[in-house]
Every structure is written in C-alpha cells, then in structure tokens.
Amino acid sequence: MNNGYLDMELLRFTTAGSVDDGKSTLIGRLLYDSKSIFEDQLEAVEAASRSRGNEEVNLALLTDGLRAEREQGITIDVAYRYFATPKRKFIIADTPGHIQYTRNMVTGASTADLAIILIDARNGVVEQTVRHSYIASLLGIPFITVCVNKMDLVNFSEEIFSDIQQHYKAMATKIGIEAQLLFIPISAKYGDNVVEPSANMPWYTDGTLMHLLETVSIEHKTGDKGEPLRLPVQYVIRPISDKYPDYRAYAGRMSGGVLHKGDRVRVLPSGLESKVQAIMQAENELDTSYTPQSVSVLLEDDIDISRGDMLVDANGPQPAVTQQFKMRCCWLNECEMQLRKRYIIRSAVSETIGMVQAIDYKIDISTLEHVADMTSLKMNDIACISVKTANPLVVDAYTDNRTTGSVIFIDPDSFETVGAGMIE
C-alpha cells in the first residue's frame, strides 16, 4: 500500500431510508460501477441472483452480508463498507430502514460527514424519511444528500423530482434541519446518476452522486476552522529509564482546534496552567498539531495531570466543567432506562458514575411532538434528559464539538453500552 493511499482524504457517509427504497442496491451500484469489488465477489452475486430466480444481477446481495438479511431481503444491522477511488477513501455505514432499528442508525451515523437519505420516487417523503432526517440533524451531520431513487419507475419525471424536493425542503424547515441539503435523481438499479451521468434525465445537470462524494468539502474535520483547542489526555507517558529520568508527556487525540509549541494551556478540571514545551508524534517533534492528530505534549511545569483531564487554550473559549447537564439521548438497550439508577457515564476519555435525574420529554419520532411525564425510556426512544454525575466532566455542547459534546451510558453490572447522547 503506497503512502498516496494512506494520505488520501477520508469521507465517512451513512445511508438511510425506508425498507425497499434501494439502499443496498445503491451501495452495490457504487461499489460495482467504481470497480471496487473483486471478480469472485461479482461471480458469487451473479450465482446467488440466478439461484433466486432474478433475471438480472441483484446488486443488493453485495451488501446484505448476514444470511438473515439475504433471506428477508432487508438490512437489519449496520454494515460498514470500505472503498476508494483515485480521489478519496470512503467508509459507508449502511443502516437499517425499519422503525425498530432506530438505534442502529444513531450508532452507524454518529461519525458521518454526510448522510444519504433515499426516497422512493413513487412514494415521496414518508414517515421514515422524517425520522431519519431528524436523527441526521440531531447527530449534527453537516451534509444531507437526498437521493430520489427508482426514477425509472416514474418515467424519469422532472416534475415528480421537483415535487419531492419542495416537500422535503418544507419538512426540513419544520424540524429545523441546519445541514446543507443536496438533491439527486437516481436509478440505483440501472446506474443513472450514481457513478455515470444519466442519459434519461438531461434536465438534471448538477453532477452524479459519486462526483458529490469525491468533491464535497470535509474541512469541518480539521482543526483549522477556528474552533477552540480540545485535547483529552488518554495516557501519561512516564518511562522508567536512566535515559529519560524526568520525562513526562501527555498523549491524546486532538478533538478540536490547533496546538502550537509555546502555547499557554489550561488543564481541566483542575484549572492549572502551563506552557507547551514540545509536541511529539512518535519520534518526530512538531511545531503545530491539528485535529484529529494523535500527539504527546510536554509541558514546562510539572503539574498533576492524569487520564480523563483535558488540555485547552488558556485564553480561548472554555468548555463547561460540570456535574449537571441536559442532553438528547437515544436509548440503545432492551433494559429500560430507569430514573436515579447508577450508570457509568463516559465523555471523551473521562468517566464517572452518574444518574438520570429527570426525563424532560420524549420525542415522538412519528409526529416530532414532545411527550411529557415519562419515567423510563425503552430501546430506540429519543428524549431530552437531565443528568447528574458524581465527579465533574469537561464537556462542550454537541453542536460546538461532536467529540467533547457526546456521552455514552454504560451499565455497571454488564458493562454494555446502553445509551448515547448529545449535550445541549
């Protein structure tokens, strides 16, 4: 593998839509038309298609990897696919369309740069479209691409595409979606506007889905957009050796901003301050480090820092150091969330014991109305909750920083992740 491949930009995107909107077929088409699958994979899919009586190659079989998925013809788990073109590397999180798999979309889409929402051209905007759009918005995904699929079944009608576009924009305004919206008419089955431009839709001239994936801006991923410095400390490097008798460095992954040698930093939650003496990446010393690089930092002063602390700019915007906060939460587990039950609560690399003090309201995903007077949450429920922790956590609002603004709940008995959420 050459360094060119390693240095290529990475775009993470997620796909969502109702059952039978063609997500698996679309991903199969992307992989097939971009020459990202092997001959033996294609031969296996062709054989499976024939054995099921399909007249043509069923590209959905490329992605429906679980036997249960293939038998039912639906996606039931988050499937991650990796492929690359000469311009970019991609990771796809293919998430299920069924209502009972809401939590799978929350976990699959949480790190995405772009969400593809599929709409069947015959059905237009349906309840699942609203649900998936709301979750994409909740997760702060910067770009939402609406692919109106199965255009071949509506005679490639520009009027139908325009109607769906207007209906979707009205819905997006109603639920307050702030992501940049893009619309593409496609036929995943025949490849129209997926990798190659469609001869059947000369009225559409804004480029194919692949062109969009290769060119959409991902500047939001790097720390040069003026956001504040955030460096959660994952590990304290303290070699016991004669060669480095007093060496002490703080290793972590940059979660926001830029760090320069000589910068004055504050350690939270203690509030102690020092100056950056050196920034190391493996054996190399850097003058500057950017999000999302992993680095180790040496400070001029010998102060008490341990795993879970955070380095921030002493003069920049500060995160909250708090034991109480409100957040939007999606419950991920069959065991219901109980008020005042003890959970392990983890944010970035720090964790503490905490509990849910109150469920302010549950969001009815079908109507987007707020349901009050809830005392527990079931799996797939999304709610606004108030949390109290035993020790302070260093956090930002999720809209300001997706790493330091996200929280997971862990059951202290089973150590299962039972909930995930975004700090308000």
Side-chain angles (χ1 to χ4, degrees):
M1 188 182 291
N2 63 32
N3 278 344
Y5 178 81
L6 293 173
D7 294 340
M8 282 169 74
E9 286 185 327
L10 169 67
L11 179 81
R12 294 172 180 268
F13 67 95
T14 183
T15 58
S18 294
V19 178
D20 297 331
D21 276 351
K23 294 190 309 299
S24 297
T25 305
L26 173 62
I27 294 170
R29 174 62 67 188
L30 273 173
L31 298 175
Y32 180 66
D33 284 6
S34 63
K35 313 279 190 288
S36 297
I37 57 168
F38 297 114
E39 285 296 319
D40 58 342
Q41 286 176 292
L42 183 60
E43 285 166 11
V45 168
E46 287 171 342
S49 301
R50 282 195 299 275
S51 72
R52 294 174 59 166
N54 296 337
E55 290 178 14
E56 55 214 22
V57 177
N58 182 357
L59 291 171
L61 297 176
L62 274 171
T63 56
D64 285 338
L66 302 178
R67 187 170 160 195
E69 294 181 337
R70 289 200 297 270
E71 287 170 357
Q72 296 178 67
I74 61 166
T75 305
I76 58 177
D77 201 358
V78 181
Y80 293 95
R81 307 287 161 203
Y82 307 85
F83 75 105
T85 68
K87 294 183 181 171
R88 239 178 212 174
K89 295 180 294 191
F90 302 95
I91 298 176
I92 315 169
D94 182 19
T95 61
H98 281 73
I99 184 168
Q100 68 264 41
Y101 300 120
T102 300
R103 65 178 185 152
N104 300 49
M105 181 181 171
V106 172
T107 51
S110 59
T111 56
D113 307 305
L114 178 145
I116 294 175
I117 297 199
L118 259 84
I119 293 179
D120 187 323
R122 298 167 301 174
N123 303 331
V125 175
V126 296
E127 186 184 298
Q128 279 291 74
T129 314
V130 180
R131 176 178 288 107
H132 291 143
S133 302
Y134 180 80
I135 293 170
S137 173
L138 189 68
L139 292 169
I141 298 173
F143 297 95
I144 293 178
T145 300
V146 180
C147 284
V148 181
N149 191 23
K150 307 194 179 182
M151 289 297 291
D152 52 297
L153 299 180
V154 294
N155 296 319
F156 301 102
S157 163
E158 181 179 8
E159 187 182 344
I160 288 174
F161 174 71
S162 296
D163 283 351
I164 291 172
Q165 197 171 346
Q166 295 311 315
H167 190 178
Y168 188 94
K169 283 180 177 174
M171 177 273 293
T173 302
K174 183 183 172 189
I175 66 177
I177 291 178
E178 294 179 3
Q180 190 172 330
L181 299 178
L182 308 145
F183 297 86
I184 304 177
I186 65 166
S187 168
K189 187 175 182 181
Y190 298 111
D192 292 79
N193 287 335
V194 179
V195 174
E196 301 296 333
S198 170
N200 295 306
M201 291 178 275
W203 46 265
Y204 174 80
T205 56
D206 286 346
T208 64
L209 176 60
M210 180 60 89
H211 173 74
L212 170 73
L213 295 175
E214 287 185 329
T215 58
V216 70
S217 166
I218 50 175
E219 281 180 5
H220 63 274
K221 296 175 78 164
T222 59
D224 52 7
K225 63 180 194 291
E227 67 183 5
L229 171 68
R230 299 290 183 262
L231 178 56
V233 176
Q234 292 181 338
Y235 187 69
V236 179
I237 301 171
R238 187 81 206 278
I240 308 298
S241 72
D242 295 338
K243 187 179 177 186
Y244 302 106
D246 300 314
Y247 188 93
R248 191 190 296 260
Y250 308 101
R253 188 175 189 220
M254 301 269 295
S255 298
V258 181
L259 182 66
H260 306 279
K261 184 177 177 178
D263 279 356
R264 189 145 194 87
V265 293
R266 179 174 293 142
V267 183
L268 295 175
S270 71
L272 297 169
E273 293 187 12
S274 185
K275 209 172 189 182
V276 176
Q277 183 179 324
I279 304 169
M280 304 297 296
Q281 191 171 48
E283 300 290 310
N284 304 318
E285 187 169 344
L286 307 175
D287 288 328
T288 308
S289 62
Y290 300 91
T291 303
Q293 286 179 318
S294 294
V295 293
S296 54
V297 178
L298 288 84
L299 301 178
E300 288 185 358
D301 303 286
D302 188 8
I303 53 181
D304 184 15
I305 302 175
S306 54
R307 176 181 167 84
D309 290 346
M310 192 182 296
L311 302 183
V312 303
D313 183 349
N315 304 310
Q318 302 293 298
V321 180
T322 181
Q323 289 173 259
Q324 286 185 297
F325 49 87
K326 288 186 183 292
M327 59 183 285
R328 301 269 182 103
C329 172
C330 179
W331 201 246
L332 309 174
N333 199 266
E334 283 113 350
C335 295
E336 292 185 10
M337 176 211 273
Q338 303 294 340
L339 288 178
R340 311 195 81 77
K341 179 183 171 178
R342 287 158 60 91
Y343 294 102
I344 298 168
I345 296 177
R346 181 181 296 164
S347 171
V349 295
S350 59
E351 62 179 45
T352 179
I353 293 292
M355 63 182 179
V356 179
Q357 282 188 304
I359 299 170
D360 302 334
Y361 57 83
K362 189 181 95 167
I363 297 152
D364 183 328
I365 289 287
S366 305
T367 62
L368 299 177
E369 290 174 350
H370 294 176
V371 182
D373 302 321
M374 302 293 298
T375 55
S376 67
L377 294 179
K378 295 186 172 67
M379 187 165 80
N380 296 316
D381 279 350
I382 293 177
C384 182
I385 62 174
S386 299
V387 178
K388 183 172 175 55
T389 60
N391 298 314
L393 289 175
V394 182
V395 296
D396 287 285
Y398 184 82
T399 49
D400 295 332
N401 191 306
R402 281 166 79 178
T403 303
T404 56
S406 56
V407 168
I408 60 169
F409 291 78
I410 300 166
D411 186 295
D413 300 320
S414 65
F415 288 100
E416 285 185 279
T417 301
V418 291
M422 293 66 75
I423 293 171
E424 302 226 300

